[in-house]
Amino acid sequence: MPMERRDRQQLDLEQGTYSTHQGGDSRHKRTHAEQLAMFPNRWSRIRFASQKGRVFDSLLCHFNMETFKEAFKALDASKALGTDGISKKVYAKNLDENLLDLITRIHKGSYKPQVKRLVEIPKANGGLRPIAISCFEDKLVEWVLGKILDSIYEPLFIRNSFGFRPHHSAHNAITAIHCSLKDNRRPFVVEIDFASFFNSIPHRSRLYYEPHSSKCISSLCSGYLVS
């Protein structure tokens, strides 16, 4: 599988053309306007490259002022605060300076997520579910990192995978099950619930799973797993 370089990762939009065939036949070049219509943002370009089987080895460029301002706009100001007590309103007072400092630390490799604030909420069975609340700056990084990973991995999921995916829910799963069971096409239903599944799986062994081999992404994911 060919390794993808940064110019490939951007799908040659800056060059004005992108071949519709892997062979790069010059007779099948798209104009810059046609490419922009097909890929209106960086997330759609990453998604397209993932569908083509590309391996991403240079993703650091997506941590920039544009993506962090997109993240800042998307984050809900009413959410609970992290251990540093900094809200979206406070962070916004020096937004450009704060984001530039954050981007610099990420690109230098010196950024480290702060310790999360642990809150326990009651479960239906009487137990407690631990919820880790990040600081606002870490939420920004999590948002951008999440968009990158969603864009890469979402096209690779099987059709009947509904857990923690954009535009998928338990209601979609129920509909899929109903379609499989109706007319007695499937005679059995098996329900399996893994206790503390996420807390028990070997996280680090999954950090280097293709289709990305980006060290910066693996480092950030690793930092969040231990913070």
Side-chain angles (χ1 to χ4, degrees), residues 47-110:
R47 179 186 295 267
F48 179 79
S50 180
Q51 291 173 327
K52 291 295 184 181
R54 303 289 174 79
V55 176
F56 298 81
D57 65 343
S58 181
L59 293 166
L60 193 60
C61 59
H62 298 294
F63 292 91
N64 55 47
M65 189 65 75
E66 177 187 352
T67 56
F68 275 115
K69 285 196 172 181
E70 185 180 351
F72 180 84
K73 184 178 180 180
L75 289 179
D76 188 348
S78 66
K79 295 297 184 180
L81 305 183
T83 54
D84 63 357
I86 296 178
S87 65
K88 181 176 182 177
K89 182 178 180 180
V90 171
Y91 198 87
K93 290 181 179 179
N94 297 293
L95 181 60
D96 287 348
E97 293 84 349
N98 289 334
L99 292 180
L100 182 59
D101 176 66
L102 174 60
I103 293 167
T104 300
R105 282 183 282 129
I106 290 176
H107 283 249
K108 287 183 176 180
S110 60

Side-chain angles (χ1 to χ4, degrees), residues 16-29:
T17 59
Y18 178 76
S19 175
T20 58
H21 297 277
Q22 291 185 342
D25 191 335
S26 61
R27 294 173 298 176
H28 299 280
K29 298 288 186 177

Side-chain angles (χ1 to χ4, degrees), residues 157-199:
F157 278 103
I158 62 174
R159 183 182 60 183
N160 288 328
S161 177
F162 298 99
F164 301 98
R165 294 175 62 193
H167 312 298
H168 290 71
S169 69
H171 297 288
N172 301 125
I174 292 172
T175 300
I177 292 172
H178 171 74
C179 292
S180 296
L181 294 177
K182 70 178 183 179
D183 304 323
N184 294 320
R185 288 188 296 175
R186 297 287 190 278
F188 304 107
V189 174
V190 178
E191 180 182 5
I192 301 175
D193 186 8
F194 294 95
S196 302
F197 173 73
F198 185 78
N199 296 332

Side-chain angles (χ1 to χ4, degrees), residues 110-124:
S110 60
Y111 164 79
K112 301 294 180 185
Q114 299 184 59
V115 177
K116 293 179 172 61
R117 184 164 67 89
L118 187 64
V119 176
E120 293 183 323
I121 60 174
K123 298 172 62 175

Side-chain angles (χ1 to χ4, degrees), residues 126-139:
L128 294 174
R129 185 186 304 279
I131 301 294
I133 301 175
S134 302
C135 296
F136 184 78
E137 183 176 75
D138 293 336
K139 290 178 182 178

